[in-house]
Amino acid sequence: SIAALVLMGHVHADAGHYDRAATAVDASVQRAIEFYGREGDLAIQTRSTGIPVLLWLGRSAEAERTGRETMDAARRSKTLAPEALRQMTRRFATALIATGKAGEALELLQRMAAQEPAQAEMEHAATLLCKAGALASLGRPREAADAAHQAGDLWSKTGGIVQRGMMADARLTEALARAKMGNAALAQALATEAETILKQTLPADHPSFQRIEMARAAALRAAGRAKE
């Protein structure tokens, strides 16, 4: 089924097998288009789920193109749920950041944040993390660190595996921003916190651990110890 293929894509992605994830997502997209048409709600949502996979594979331009096409289709839809549209918007924003269009991404996210229900804390956390990425790309590390910190604190309220993974992502994003600000000690502490979380949920060879090394390297540079 379409849902099973999408789930398979998530499982492969969580394991760091991005080529397999892309294959599963492509199959789910084709199945959704066959059953619902290219502009059917499920088809455009399924295409949107492939954006993170394309980014992991370094296919940023394709991810942005997919984002623009699915967002255009979503805006034409009269039946797509608002929550689904917001989720698609966040995925599109990450593609924009990856292709050097962080300003456009930030504007999109700020407009969307005003539409999020007050009680939807996990949605708000996801938007904050996307905003942190955009702000960091725009050379605004203090604002990026604050947004990432808020996102991490929101995710820390739940004990779910997915939420803990997102909390680790938020801590790493904050660590990179704090290092950029020259706060090496805090950046190191945040990287260690993220590593502790990820070790509980991911295999040791998962690509996410490379981001921890990047954060630690940035912290060493901030401390004037780049040669280490």
Side-chain angles (χ1 to χ4, degrees), residues 117-153:
Q119 69 274 19
E121 289 191 337
M122 296 304 99
E123 272 201 62
H124 190 48
T127 301
L128 280 168
L129 185 55
C130 287
K131 285 177 68 176
L135 289 163
S137 295
L138 291 169
R140 296 158 62 179
R142 186 176 300 279
E143 294 170 81
D146 289 345
H149 186 82
Q150 291 177 55
D153 282 355

Side-chain angles (χ1 to χ4, degrees), residues 29-72:
V29 169
Q30 291 306 313
R31 185 76 60 85
I33 290 174
E34 287 173 11
F35 279 92
Y36 301 101
R38 193 169 186 82
E39 297 221 345
D41 287 352
L42 187 57
I44 59 178
Q45 288 180 76
T46 304
R47 287 189 70 204
S48 175
T49 64
I51 290 174
V53 177
L54 292 171
L55 292 174
W56 292 324
L57 290 171
R59 292 156 61 182
S60 302
E62 187 178 348
E64 181 189 348
R65 184 170 64 253
T66 299
R68 289 195 187 280
E69 290 175 356
T70 53
M71 287 300 294
D72 286 346

Side-chain angles (χ1 to χ4, degrees), residues 7 10 14 87 122 129 155-156 158-170 197-198 201-202:
L7 178 60
H10 287 310
D14 288 344
Q87 191 173 42
M122 296 304 99
L129 185 55
W155 274 312
S156 71
T158 114
I161 292 177
V162 172
Q163 287 77 17
R164 286 184 63 75
M166 296 303 293
M167 178 183 167
D169 196 9
I197 296 169
L198 293 179
T201 58
L202 296 177

Side-chain angles (χ1 to χ4, degrees), residues 68-102:
R68 289 195 187 280
E69 290 175 356
T70 53
M71 287 300 294
D72 286 346
R75 292 182 184 114
R76 289 191 292 271
S77 172
K78 292 179 171 49
T79 53
L80 186 68
E83 181 181 354
L85 178 58
R86 291 193 296 270
Q87 191 173 42
M88 291 174 62
T89 301
R90 284 188 287 271
R91 293 191 193 111
F92 177 40
T94 60
L96 289 172
I97 295 167
T99 53
K101 300 178 179 69

